[in-house]
Amino acid sequence: MSKPLSLSFDPIARADEHWKQRWGNAPAMAALTSIMRAQQILLAELDAVVKPYGLTFARYEALVLLTFSKAGELPMSKIGERLMVHPTSVTNTVDRLVRSGYVDKRPNPNDGRGTLASITDKGREVCEAATRDLMAMEFGLGAYDAEECGEIFAMLRPLRIAAGDFEAE
C-alpha cells in the first residue's frame, strides 16, 4: 500500500489555528479530528494485514470473538452485542465468513428464531495466522510503548462509558 505524500505541516494543527481565529478555542475539535484520522490510518493498516487471509478487520474481530467462546460458537445476537454493531452488520460479516469456510451457521436449538455461528477448523487456523501478523505489527500502534497504550485505553474509557458501551464498575 503506497502512502500519500507527507505534508510539510500538520493539517489538524492548522485547522485548529483557523478554528481559534474564527470561532474561538475548541480543543475538542482538534482532539476529535486526530482520533478520527488515527482511526482511518489504523483501519487501513490492519485491513492490509488481514486482507491476504480474505478478511477485513471486522471479520477478524468476529473470528476472535468466536475463538474466545467456550464452545467456539455464539448466537448472532451475542456477536452483535459484543462487537457493538448492528444486526445487519453481523449478518453480513458472518455470511462472508461462511462463504470463506471460516464459520458455519445453524439454527439455535435454544431459540427457535435465532442462529448460531461457529468457527471452523479453517477459521481457527486463519485467526491464529492473522493474529500472529497483527501482533508482529503491534496492531498499528508501534509508535507507542506498552505504558502509552495503557494510557490511550484509559483516556478513551470514560467516553465509552458515557456512550453506554458498558457500565463502570
Side-chain angles (χ1 to χ4, degrees):
M1 170 170 66
S2 66
K3 292 187 177 194
L5 295 175
S6 293
L7 297 173
S8 61
F9 62 93
D10 180 345
I12 296 172
R14 177 81 49 89
D16 186 45
E17 291 169 20
H18 290 298
W19 194 281
K20 285 176 190 170
Q21 292 169 4
R22 184 162 187 162
W23 291 299
N25 194 27
M29 186 281 299
L32 168 73
T33 308
S34 293
I35 291 168
M36 298 301 284
R37 178 62 185 135
Q39 191 266 349
Q40 292 171 336
I41 292 166
L42 292 170
L43 191 55
E45 289 180 4
L46 298 170
D47 277 344
V49 169
V50 297
K51 186 177 182 177
Y53 300 103
L55 297 172
T56 60
F57 192 69
R59 287 182 223 146
Y60 167 77
E61 287 181 302
L63 285 180
V64 168
L65 182 61
L66 289 171
T67 66
F68 287 165
S69 66
K70 288 179 189 154
E73 65 182 10
L74 287 170
M76 298 280 280
S77 59
K78 279 276 188 241
I79 295 171
E81 180 183 292
R82 302 266 168 81
L83 295 179
M84 296 173 270
V85 296
H86 191 274
T88 304
S89 296
V90 175
T91 300
N92 182 16
T93 296
V94 171
D95 286 349
R96 289 183 180 259
L97 290 168
V98 167
R99 284 197 293 275
S100 298
Y102 300 155
V103 169
D104 288 324
K105 282 182 9 179
R106 66 182 174 91
N108 186 344
N110 302 321
D111 174 4
R113 295 177 296 152
T115 302
L116 286 175
S118 57
I119 191 165
T120 63
D121 290 341
K122 183 178 176 185
R124 286 183 192 281
E125 290 170 16
V126 162
C127 186
E128 290 294 325
T131 298
R132 280 192 299 275
D133 290 351
L134 288 166
M135 288 181 70
M137 56 88 74
E138 299 182 66
F139 290 90
L141 292 175
Y144 303 99
D145 64 23
E147 184 178 332
E148 290 168 320
C149 286
E151 290 170 7
I152 293 168
F153 175 80
M155 191 176 294
L156 294 174
R157 199 165 193 271
L159 176 75
R160 296 173 46 233
I161 292 168
D165 278 0
F166 59 97
E167 293 180 19
E169 290 88 40

